[in-house]
Every structure is written in C-alpha cells, then in structure tokens.
Amino acid sequence: MLFSSSVFLFLFLPLVLIIYYLALRRWRQGQNVFLLLASLGFYAWGEPRYIVLMLCSIVVNYFFGLIIEKLRRRRKFSGRLLLCAAVIFNIGLLGYYKYAGFLVQNLNRVLPVSLDVPQVALPIGISFYTFQILSYVIDVYRGNVPAQRNILSLGLYISFFPQLIAGPIVRYIDIEDQIRHRSMSMDKVYDGIRSFVAGFSKKIIIADQL
C-alpha cells in the first residue's frame, strides 16, 4: 500500500484516525494494540508472505533486549556476546534477503563452481525495521533505555506504518515516551495535517515527476 494510493488516502488512513481518536480515546493501551494491528495490516497488504518474518524478528529481539539488559548488569562480557549475537542475527537476516543472489553469482564467477542462484525477493521495508531493531538492542545494552517488557509496545515501535516502508529510521530512545503515553491537542492535529499535506505535495508534484 503506497501513501499516495487511493486505498491509503480515502480508506485506510481515515478509518485508522476515526477509530483511534473516537472509539479508543479513553483506552490508552487499546490505542497501542489497535495501531499495532493497523500497522501489521498495512504491511500485510503489500507483503502478506513476509508478515511472519517481521513477527519473528520482533519476538526474537524482544527476548534479546530482556536478556541483554539482565546480563549487562551482572556479566558485562556475556552481555557483549549476546549483543554480538543480536547484531549477527539481524544483519544476517537482512544480508540474506538483500545479497544472497549477489554472493552466489560472484562465487560462481570466482570459483570453479556452478551453484544455483537463489531467487530471493526483498521484503519491503526490511532495511528500515532491521536497523530500528538494532538501535533498540544497542540502546538497551548501553543502558540508555530499559528493555521493553510489553512485546506489543515493542512491536508497535518496529512496525509503525507511517515510517515502516519509507523511513526515516527512528531510534527507540526518541519515541519511547510517546509509546507509553501521548497527548492530543488541536495545535498538534493542525501541525500534523500541515506536515502531511506539505510532504504529500512535494512527493506527488516534485519527487514523482522527477
């Protein structure tokens, strides 16, 4: 689902805003659950096969964060090893989907082998959410933020649809408070609408044409 598509502009976004602000206005935890489900639905619209990949990445890194925080306080060396394991897991996952075919092609050229080149489709947004996950794990290791105990809140941070497929990469430390509690005012709504319209106009009128 593209931000400039009719489905997003006239169906998905209005429904999300209406349900979020009206039906869930007084249920704060419900807001996060709803935004998580909406974000997963947004992603599944274009890549239904890879929603499981994202969910697995969320679950694995949720436990990485909890264990790294625990080991960092007691055994710094063990915490460092686990951080390395988290980095290898995430970069390895990203590297497989981005460079598996490229690597095998070059091996076939350099070495006297004839390996089958894997046809691996690149999941949309995998670079963005992988580096967001890494920023969270690294911040937990450094002690900049506590590990998130609520897996739904961590899932929302990773899968939040406005920046899922096109960025920017947002550090967990910068958005942690907004996940826990948010406030709404007409000034903020006005600023959000103005920013959205300005960015949307630049994309449609300038970027897409160029």
Side-chain angles (χ1 to χ4, degrees):
M1 188 185 307
L2 299 176
F3 293 136
S4 57
S5 66
S6 298
V7 174
F8 178 81
L9 290 173
F10 301 114
L11 180 61
F12 180 83
L13 184 59
L15 283 177
V16 168
L17 293 176
I18 290 172
I19 295 174
Y20 177 84
Y21 285 117
L22 298 182
L24 301 173
R25 184 169 52 183
R26 296 182 179 178
W27 186 26
R28 292 192 177 275
Q29 185 58 37
Q31 290 177 341
N32 283 352
V33 173
F34 171 70
L35 287 177
L36 173 61
L37 294 176
S39 297
L40 294 177
F42 174 87
Y43 189 76
W45 181 277
E47 291 285 355
R49 296 180 301 165
Y50 294 119
I51 192 69
V52 176
L53 178 66
M54 176 187 285
L55 291 174
C56 289
S57 187
I58 291 172
V59 171
V60 170
N61 284 279
Y62 169 75
F63 287 106
F64 267 134
L66 293 178
I67 301 173
I68 285 174
E69 182 183 54
K70 185 177 181 179
L71 292 179
R72 180 183 60 82
R73 296 172 179 172
R74 300 180 181 178
R75 303 174 181 176
K76 291 186 177 181
F77 181 72
S78 298
R80 192 174 303 167
L81 284 179
L82 197 61
L83 174 65
C84 292
V87 172
I88 291 172
F89 171 80
N90 288 289
I91 295 298
L93 198 65
L94 176 62
Y96 170 76
Y97 282 98
K98 293 198 74 169
Y99 301 113
F102 174 79
L103 178 62
V104 173
Q105 285 180 346
N106 281 277
L107 287 176
N108 287 338
R109 292 174 181 173
V110 175
L111 302 176
V113 294
S114 182
L115 302 174
D116 293 332
V117 179
Q119 302 299 320
V120 181
L122 182 64
I124 294 176
I126 188 172
S127 296
F128 292 110
Y129 73 73
T130 296
F131 285 112
Q132 287 212 159
I133 291 171
L134 281 175
S135 77
Y136 161 74
V137 174
I138 292 171
D139 278 340
V140 170
Y141 172 77
R142 289 176 174 173
N144 294 334
V145 294
Q148 177 58 257
R149 264 64 182 173
N150 189 329
I151 193 172
L152 299 180
S153 296
L154 182 64
L156 174 60
Y157 159 69
I158 294 170
S159 65
F160 193 39
F161 72 88
Q163 46 81 50
L164 177 60
I165 62 174
I169 296 171
V170 180
R171 290 182 62 194
Y172 178 75
I173 192 173
D174 295 328
I175 201 174
E176 177 191 13
D177 289 339
Q178 296 181 48
I179 293 177
R180 296 180 185 276
H181 51 80
R182 296 179 292 276
S183 61
M184 185 187 74
S185 66
M186 291 309 299
D187 288 338
K188 291 181 179 180
V189 172
Y190 170 76
D191 288 339
I193 293 175
R194 185 177 62 180
S195 296
F196 179 85
V197 171
F200 181 77
S201 300
K202 291 176 182 178
K203 172 176 170 50
I204 298 298
I205 298 174
I206 301 176
D208 285 356
Q209 303 306 317
L210 292 177

